[in-house]
Amino acid sequence: MQIAISGQLLGSSHSLDRILEVFRSLGVNAIELWPHNLIGGETPDERALYQNKDVAGAARLIRDAGFTVSCITQGSRPIQQAAIDGPVVGTVALKGAIDAAVCLGAPLVNCYLSGIPSALFVEIVRPAAAYAGERGVTIVLENEAHDDSGTAQGIRAIVDAIDSPYFGTLYDPCNFYQANEEPYPYSYEVLKDSIRYVHLKGGCHYDPVHRSSDYRGGTLRGFDDRYIGYVALPDGVVNIDGLLRRLVRDGYDGFLTLEPHVTRETALAFYEIEVPYLKGLLDHIAAEQAARL
């Protein structure tokens, strides 16, 4: 498994070359890209699409820096627009992201249900998944707390309906926690055969009295007065050690991408905690395996 960091958090304040410098300083040479990490597009709609980006220029920059692109993410805007203008809008956006992934050498395109009906999402993704297969790319759906992707069974139903080897799930255990789903082992067990990519961040119940330094996120699913709190990965509720051991045992060899949900000003402090923590766990697991041989 390889560690990557999402470019989302720093994308609105740092150029891509500067983000790569920050990640390199942490000993990480893989990045997840978002549309706002790339130059191009005038209107918000144009900036949300990879078709309007300088993908080739970004690919040269990333290659020259010695980086790998773990995944590119297609944000919610074009998928939500498909609920108004029809599924073709979403399919075209995903196909543009797939073309960008090929140029960038990324194996995956991440997307969101974005609150639209699951049946419409399936209609959008089926032709895009076929196109992805032709281009050697896989589409993954990220679980989010407050729509049909928030539950493991909801994701399972979408994966089964699309029924393509070029479509799977992004597994974000912290997002499952926000959805009041058991992140691990339950959600993992339901989805393990379809997991193609993993996001990691620290989360817990937001408690401003006892943990006033935590970052308050959105509401926990099913509540209007309880919130998720974002913390460094070692302090979150998810059993990261157990999860990593299970991923190793089950043969997952993809990326583990860090994406702390904090402010840009505190991002580096979180990276400096989470990267060594994750590397240390992986090294320890590898040493245990070697000792058994």
Side-chain angles (χ1 to χ4, degrees), residues 84 91 95 114 121 148 178 192 225 256 279-281:
I84 300 171
T91 303
K95 286 184 175 180
S114 306
F121 182 82
D148 287 345
Q178 187 181 1
K192 61 185 177 183
D225 60 349
L256 304 169
K279 286 184 176 180
L281 285 178

Side-chain angles (χ1 to χ4, degrees), residues 263-286:
T263 64
R264 291 189 301 274
E265 293 75 19
T266 56
L268 184 58
F270 271 70
Y271 298 150
E272 289 175 341
I273 294 170
E274 295 183 340
V275 171
Y277 168 74
L278 196 52
K279 286 184 176 180
L281 285 178
L282 292 174
D283 289 345
H284 183 67
I285 294 169

Side-chain angles (χ1 to χ4, degrees), residues 33-277:
L33 290 174
W34 282 64
H36 62 284
N37 294 134
L38 277 62
I39 297 170
E42 298 297 327
T43 69
D45 286 339
E46 290 173 343
R47 289 194 293 272
L49 297 171
Y50 285 96
Q51 288 93 323
N52 301 300
K53 300 293 183 177
D54 181 13
V55 177
R60 287 192 298 271
L61 178 64
I62 290 165
R63 182 182 63 247
D64 292 346
F67 268 69
T68 298
V69 180
S70 60
C71 175
I72 70 168
T73 290
Q74 176 60 71
S76 294
R77 194 180 189 97
I79 306 298
Q80 291 171 333
Q81 193 64 33
I84 300 171
D85 296 333
V88 172
V89 171
T91 303
V92 168
L94 283 176
K95 286 184 175 180
I98 290 162
D99 290 339
V102 172
C103 182
L104 291 160
L108 302 168
V109 169
N110 177 37
C111 63
Y112 299 91
L113 185 60
S114 306
I116 69 172
S118 295
L120 175 58
F121 182 82
V122 170
E123 193 175 353
I124 290 168
V125 173
R126 274 181 177 155
Y131 184 73
E134 294 170 0
R135 308 229 61 195
V137 173
T138 297
I139 300 171
V140 293
L141 171 62
E142 180 167 358
N143 56 295
E144 290 285 293
H146 294 292
D147 60 22
D148 287 345
S149 71
T151 67
Q153 293 294 346
I155 290 273
R156 178 82 263 167
I158 292 170
V159 170
D160 291 346
I162 292 174
D163 190 24
S164 168
Y166 305 105
F167 178 79
T169 183
L170 184 158
Y171 172 68
D172 187 319
C174 186
N175 287 358
F176 277 127
Y177 170 75
Q178 187 181 1
N180 277 317
E181 287 273 284
E182 182 180 278
Y184 175 80
Y186 171 74
S187 295
Y188 177 85
E189 294 287 0
V190 172
L191 298 170
K192 61 185 177 183
D193 65 323
S194 65
I195 294 172
R196 304 290 180 265
Y197 191 51
V198 176
H199 271 179
L200 296 175
K201 57 180 173 279
C204 62
H205 172 228
Y206 179 67
D207 180 3
V209 175
H210 301 103
R211 296 180 59 92
S212 59
S213 62
D214 296 353
Y215 293 87
R216 195 185 88 170
T219 55
L220 298 174
R221 185 170 179 141
F223 294 89
D224 57 13
D225 60 349
R226 297 185 68 185
Y227 301 87
I228 188 169
Y230 290 115
V231 295
L233 194 59
D235 296 326
V237 299
V238 176
N239 177 9
I240 299 297
D241 179 76
L243 171 60
L244 293 182
R245 291 173 185 277
R246 187 61 187 277
L247 287 168
V248 169
R249 190 193 330 158
D250 290 346
Y252 178 78
D253 61 356
F255 289 91
L256 304 169
T257 296
L258 295 170
E259 52 148 20
H261 279 17
V262 294
T263 64
R264 291 189 301 274
E265 293 75 19
T266 56
L268 184 58
F270 271 70
Y271 298 150
E272 289 175 341
I273 294 170
E274 295 183 340
V275 171
Y277 168 74

